[in-house]
Amino acid sequence: MTTAAIIVAAGKGVRAGGTIPKQFADLRGKPILLHSVTALSSHPMISDVIIVIGAGQQEHARALQLETVSFVQGGAERRDSVRAGLEALEGKSVTRVLIHDAARPFIPATVIDALLATLDHSPGAVPVLPVADTLAKGSDTLGDNVPRAGLNRIQTPQAFHFDAILAAHRAWPDGEEATDDAQMLRRAGHDVALVPGDAMLEKITHPADFAAAEARHAANLVSRSAMGYDVHRLATGEELWLGGVLIPHDKGLAGHSDADVALHAITDALLGTICAGDIGMHFPPSDPQWRGAASDRFLEHAASLVRAEGGIIDFIDLTLICEEPKIGPHRETIRARIAEILHLPLGKVSLKATTTERLGFTGRGEGIAAQAVATIRLPERTE
């Protein structure tokens, strides 16, 4: 069986506020839409991902720089957009399809697994959560309570046999709107099974929902810490860059790049939190393109890798080890620059300085060493 996924991202997201459609707005370091793309495209059972966008959203789509998914232009209503996605899959030997709303960015793999397993004995399946609040009729005044037994809150992704849901869409009457695709499959005479949903799948609709989504995401992360260490020798005729700041001094640090030991140590620490090797693997000193390069590029790259895995940078602790220059006068400027590069509040960057009591190469003024510890939070890995 071949499984594809359709992400419906054609809405304007007016109720969410902002200057761009909400699916392209930032959430946890990347556009909302990318969270769904990552979850679905990385699932081992899903071979194709199609994103349905609205008219005039092509520039937003190109900015995502996605090469492994296909984009399709949707229609005026949600069902028009879903149908456009389904018809784009026709002829590709797809037997099962997941249909998901981009406004629900966080998709647990357990929900995808449950949906696909249920398709072995049902033509359709949807994730649901029980209704926990008391329900009552009324507008201006309170009316009668509505029994909650048997009521469910419907979420996406919803899973279907491809031929069945495509036929249901094609048979749906023009001019009549459907709240979701499961409703359309039921109208066509098919049963739709229920699987347990997840609070992570709550929909982003209003401005306050962004903060709630951030909190849900953070609550499901585990902590990781890693250390980075770097050394460069001091040499006459070189500039002295420390923490992204040019420090006045009679000597500078020698190296292939700008030799910023502070940023190099932090870069290695961040790479270590996601098991991504070290700075030399990503920026080999043998590669001439990095000669004299500003080290903030290396740190930005490491931070982007952390965020690409759904990680949040929690704290950076940096120690500079040298006799000269004195770090105290530059301490706050360096902290501010590191915070700027990593898009962190200043309170999440610590900087200390120490000497080796004139022992060793740092004590003799031959070089500067830096040690950094990075703490992040990210989704727990199972491999």
Side-chain angles (χ1 to χ4, degrees), residues 233-235 249 251 322-324 356 358-368:
R233 64 181 177 87
L234 285 164
H249 196 55
K251 293 182 180 180
C322 60
E323 295 291 335
E324 294 288 343
T356 56
R358 299 197 177 278
L359 299 173
F361 71 90
T362 59
R364 294 189 297 270
E366 297 171 2
I368 297 177

Side-chain angles (χ1 to χ4, degrees), residues 136-144:
K137 297 179 180 178
S139 52
D140 296 329
T141 60
L142 183 65
D144 294 337

Side-chain angles (χ1 to χ4, degrees), residues 34-87:
L34 280 187
H35 291 281
S36 297
V37 173
T38 299
L40 292 168
S41 62
S42 63
H43 194 279
M45 297 297 291
I46 298 175
S47 59
D48 290 285
V49 175
I50 284 185
I51 301 173
V52 186
I53 60 173
Q57 296 179 356
Q58 290 82 359
E59 284 299 322
H60 293 307
R62 278 192 287 269
L64 300 177
Q65 298 182 336
L66 293 172
E67 298 179 357
T68 58
V69 305
S70 301
F71 288 94
V72 173
Q73 184 168 313
E77 304 295 338
R78 182 187 183 279
R79 66 180 178 87
D80 299 320
S81 296
V82 174
R83 181 167 174 175
L86 290 170
E87 292 184 339

Side-chain angles (χ1 to χ4, degrees), residues 295-375:
S295 294
D296 56 2
R297 296 172 63 184
F298 307 157
L299 186 54
E300 288 170 348
H301 173 73
S304 72
L305 293 181
V306 170
R307 293 180 175 122
E309 294 208 13
I312 302 167
I313 301 173
D314 256 350
F315 197 77
I316 300 295
D317 182 44
L318 171 68
T319 301
L320 291 173
I321 307 163
C322 60
E323 295 291 335
E324 294 288 343
K326 299 303 180 186
I327 302 301
H330 310 288
R331 179 175 179 271
E332 294 309 309
T333 305
I334 293 173
R335 287 181 65 215
R337 178 56 182 147
I338 293 169
E340 179 185 24
I341 295 169
L342 294 176
H343 304 288
L344 291 176
L346 184 60
K348 291 195 173 188
V349 178
S350 167
L351 171 59
K352 307 185 296 295
T354 189
T355 70
T356 56
E357 299 295 332
R358 299 197 177 278
L359 299 173
F361 71 90
T362 59
R364 294 189 297 270
E366 297 171 2
I368 297 177
Q371 178 175 292
V373 175
T375 300

Side-chain angles (χ1 to χ4, degrees), residues 23-313:
Q23 60 270 31
F24 301 105
D26 186 80
L27 179 68
R28 281 297 173 197
K30 61 183 180 182
I32 286 176
L33 175 57
L34 280 187
H35 291 281
S36 297
V37 173
T38 299
L40 292 168
S41 62
S42 63
H43 194 279
M45 297 297 291
I46 298 175
S47 59
D48 290 285
V49 175
I50 284 185
I51 301 173
V52 186
I53 60 173
Q57 296 179 356
Q58 290 82 359
E59 284 299 322
H60 293 307
R62 278 192 287 269
L64 300 177
Q65 298 182 336
L66 293 172
E67 298 179 357
T68 58
V69 305
S70 301
F71 288 94
V72 173
Q73 184 168 313
E77 304 295 338
R78 182 187 183 279
R79 66 180 178 87
D80 299 320
S81 296
V82 174
R83 181 167 174 175
L86 290 170
E87 292 184 339
L89 289 171
E90 191 175 21
K92 293 188 176 182
S93 301
V94 172
T95 55
R96 305 182 300 184
V97 63
L98 293 169
I99 302 174
H100 182 62
D101 293 329
R104 302 179 190 269
F106 305 127
I107 314 174
T110 52
V111 173
I112 298 175
D113 293 339
L115 289 167
L116 295 181
T118 303
L119 290 186
D120 290 342
H121 54 79
S122 177
V126 298
V128 300
L129 288 178
V131 176
D133 297 321
T134 296
L135 300 177
K137 297 179 180 178
S139 52
D140 296 329
T141 60
L142 183 65
D144 294 337
N145 284 3
V146 177
R148 292 174 296 178
L151 293 180
N152 296 287
R153 296 168 53 210
I154 310 300
Q155 301 178 311
T156 71
Q158 299 181 354
F160 306 98
H161 290 178
F162 179 78
D163 290 343
I165 192 62
L166 177 59
H169 267 268
R170 286 175 170 170
W172 192 261
D174 290 336
E176 182 179 346
E177 293 312 316
T179 57
D180 67 356
D181 303 287
Q183 175 190 355
M184 302 174 79
L185 191 69
R186 289 186 65 249
R187 175 78 67 87
H190 298 285
D191 290 333
V192 177
L194 306 181
V195 304
D198 196 294
M200 291 296 290
L201 283 167
E202 294 288 1
K203 189 176 182 181
I204 294 176
T205 303
H206 304 286
D209 296 336
F210 283 86
E214 296 249 359
R216 285 194 302 274
H217 183 256
N220 284 272
L221 303 180
V222 296
S223 181
R224 288 272 193 90
S225 293
M227 188 184 80
Y229 181 78
D230 194 41
V231 172
H232 280 281
R233 64 181 177 87
L234 285 164
T236 302
E238 300 284 352
E239 292 183 332
L240 178 56
W241 287 91
L242 289 175
V245 175
L246 181 60
I247 306 295
H249 196 55
D250 61 347
K251 293 182 180 180
L253 292 171
H256 187 66
S257 64
D258 64 7
D260 190 327
V261 289
L263 296 191
H264 291 186
I266 299 171
T267 298
D268 266 355
L270 286 175
L271 292 173
T273 63
I274 54 172
C275 306
D278 57 47
I279 192 171
M281 294 173 58
H282 296 262
F283 305 98
S286 58
D287 190 336
Q289 71 172 307
W290 306 121
R291 182 174 299 280
S295 294
D296 56 2
R297 296 172 63 184
F298 307 157
L299 186 54
E300 288 170 348
H301 173 73
S304 72
L305 293 181
V306 170
R307 293 180 175 122
E309 294 208 13
I312 302 167
I313 301 173

